[in-house]
Amino acid sequence: MNWNNRIRQIHRWLSIAFTVAVIVNVVAMVQEKQAVWVGLLALLPLILLMLTGLYMFALPHAAKWRSG
């Protein structure tokens, strides 16, 4: 498996983790059990999603730059 495919797979799994974290956050808000860690739960996958997304966004531009 090449590096780009691994990044894409990680990005897919992070999107699932982010979705689950948001659902947990909404359920916690409905139950009025406010905890700081629940609110911050979605931030880690969101930050990693941003990094992998920026990497995949830059791939075509880097390929053009490398080819001359």
Side-chain angles (χ1 to χ4, degrees), residues 31-50:
Q31 293 180 352
E32 296 179 5
K33 282 188 168 182
Q34 294 292 333
V36 176
W37 68 271
V38 176
L40 298 176
L41 185 64
L43 281 182
L44 179 63
L46 183 62
I47 291 168
L48 295 173
L49 268 171
M50 182 188 70

Side-chain angles (χ1 to χ4, degrees), residues 19-60:
T19 303
V20 169
V22 168
I23 291 170
V24 168
N25 196 358
V26 169
V27 168
M29 287 175 58
V30 168
Q31 293 180 352
E32 296 179 5
K33 282 188 168 182
Q34 294 292 333
V36 176
W37 68 271
V38 176
L40 298 176
L41 185 64
L43 281 182
L44 179 63
L46 183 62
I47 291 168
L48 295 173
L49 268 171
M50 182 188 70
L51 294 175
T52 56
L54 287 173
Y55 173 80
M56 289 190 298
F57 177 77
L59 279 178

